[in-house]
Structure formats: structure tokens, C-alpha cells
Amino acid sequence: MPDATPRTFGDLEPSRWPGERLGLPDSGPGSVGRVGRRIGAIAIDWVVALLIALLFAPYSSLLHSWLTLAVFAIMQVVFIPTIGGSVGHRLTGMRVVPLTGGWVGLWRPLVRTLLLIVVVPALVWDSDQRGFHDKVAGTVLIRS
């Protein structure tokens, strides 16, 4: 009798919905946060960071650009473990949770944010719509 265990990535059955392989529902609370919500959340976070940076440097300066990035990163690292996600995540009805359950801790938001500010890992997704930054951190962005 042949072994039914997949041997290569191509042998895996495609997911019927994002998060199925993670044991998450197709829709509603606990399902994977979809693209529209993610884009809305990151736009909200970036605008908030941009406005906070304006308090310290003029818009057209190099300092303002770096401050915006720093404020964005700080907001991610501080708010993910304290309120379950960034301001944008929470306003769009999402939260960041570890795949293993429990509290997200401090190292996951740090790793996730470092990869997020590099941008490219956030653009590389798997079939569960998890960015590389979430895969490395062992997290998933779900609807709350």
C-alpha cells in the first residue's frame, strides 16, 4: 500500500480557503485577515506614523522619512503584544496571534516588524495568505 504522505510541496492538496491548513475557519471571527483589510490596516498605520513624525521634522526632509519608518516600527512592536495588533489592525477588525496560541510575546513582534519594514517579505505570501514576516515570526493575522 503506497504512503499517502506528501513528499514534495507540489504533492500537497491546495487549500480550499486561506487558513484551512492552519485549522482556521473560512470566514468570520478567527479567519485569516484578507488583503483588503491588510492594505487598509497598513495605510492607517503609515498615516498615523507620518503624522506623528510631522511633529518632529518637516515633511520634505530626510529626517521625516526616517522618523516615519521608526514610528511605524515602534507602533508595531508596542501595540501587537499589548492590544493584539497595530492601530490599523484593530480598526480594521484584525489581530495578530501566534500559531501556537497564547500571548504573542515580545520576540514575535520584533522579528515580524523587522521583516515588515524591509517590505519584500510582506509581499511574499503562501496559500494561507500569510506573509513571510508572519511565517518567520510564527504568527497569523486573523479577523477578530
Side-chain angles (χ1 to χ4, degrees), residues 58-120:
Y59 178 73
S60 59
S61 69
L62 182 60
L63 176 61
H64 181 266
S65 298
W66 284 107
L67 278 174
T68 301
L69 187 62
V71 169
F72 177 84
I74 290 167
M75 287 183 349
Q76 300 294 312
V77 171
V78 169
F79 292 134
I80 288 173
T82 57
I83 65 171
S86 68
V87 172
H89 292 146
R90 301 309 285 160
L91 288 175
T92 57
M94 296 185 298
R95 60 191 170 102
V96 176
V97 297
L99 288 175
T100 56
W103 184 52
V104 74
L106 297 175
W107 74 269
R108 284 183 173 91
L110 279 171
V111 168
R112 187 179 187 279
T113 300
L114 286 173
L115 291 170
L116 182 61
I117 63 175
V118 176
V119 178
V120 174

Side-chain angles (χ1 to χ4, degrees), residues 17-34 142-143:
W17 65 84
E20 177 187 23
R21 294 180 305 162
L22 303 173
L24 301 175
D26 181 23
S27 61
S31 64
V32 171
R34 300 301 203 272
I142 64 169
R143 291 178 57 188

